[in-house]
Amino acid sequence: MTLLEKLKHAASQRQPVQLGDACLCLRLLTEQDYATAGLAAHQTFADITMTATSAELYERHLANELLALAVLDAEDGQPAFASASQLATTLTREQKAYLLEEYLAFEREFSPARMTDEAFLALLDEVKKTPQTTRLNDSSTATLKRLVRCLASPPSP
């Protein structure tokens, strides 16, 4: 496998996700996907004066654009939503928040900055011995959630 093929492999990753009775799939977005979504959001808000309210609406719309690109039908692998507008008129706020959280966790799994299992186990051991360790201040939300899960329900040996 060439270096370029290895780099492209991350963008081909898929993660199943259940949303009620719907079986969906998430795909990792590329830098081009982020640019496409950003441009679409920009064009939608091009004639709108930015205020605190319109900025919040812009961020919501950008999230809709990104999710519309990321959420696939698990059966055929095609986009589950034809557009960000269709996504917005289909999902509830809670469903959208859930999909966003699932997507971000999925994306973090493929982050080159992701903590190795060995480093995580060392941090877990440190937290068990010294719960007030300041190293937690530098930890990502994903790492902190993983620590909480491991401390609440330790993995079987």
Side-chain angles (χ1 to χ4, degrees):
M1 187 181 293
T2 68
L3 177 59
L4 189 55
E5 288 169 333
K6 288 177 185 177
L7 291 172
K8 287 181 178 181
H9 179 69
S12 68
Q13 296 301 309
R14 303 290 187 264
Q15 174 72 38
V17 64
Q18 192 74 28
L19 186 63
D21 294 336
C23 295
L24 301 170
C25 195
L26 299 172
R27 75 173 182 89
L28 280 181
L29 297 176
T30 64
E31 181 62 23
Q32 181 60 49
D33 293 324
Y34 274 88
T36 299
L39 184 57
H42 173 75
Q43 288 173 338
T44 300
F45 281 77
D47 297 329
I48 297 175
T49 303
M50 275 299 153
T51 63
T53 301
S54 59
E56 180 183 337
L57 292 172
Y58 172 86
E59 290 298 323
R60 281 193 208 164
H61 185 73
L62 178 58
N64 291 346
E65 292 284 349
L66 290 166
L67 273 179
L69 293 172
V71 179
L72 306 176
D73 182 323
E75 289 182 21
D76 63 13
Q78 296 301 307
F81 304 99
S83 66
S85 177
Q86 185 184 47
L87 179 140
T89 58
T90 303
L91 297 179
T92 65
R93 286 172 35 119
E94 287 298 316
Q95 289 171 321
K96 177 184 166 186
Y98 171 75
L99 286 175
L100 278 171
E101 185 177 322
E102 289 295 307
Y103 177 79
L104 292 173
F106 174 48
E107 190 175 61
R108 278 190 295 272
E109 284 296 313
F110 289 91
S111 168
R114 184 176 181 266
M115 186 178 282
T116 65
D117 288 341
E118 295 80 23
F120 176 78
L121 291 174
L123 179 61
L124 179 61
D125 190 49
E126 181 180 335
V127 169
K128 286 179 180 178
K129 292 177 184 172
T130 313
Q132 67 276 13
T133 181
T134 57
R135 281 207 320 140
L136 292 177
N137 295 337
D138 300 327
S139 298
S140 69
T141 303
T143 299
L144 295 174
K145 285 181 180 179
R146 189 174 173 198
L147 279 170
V148 169
R149 282 192 294 270
C150 284
L151 291 167
S153 179
S156 345

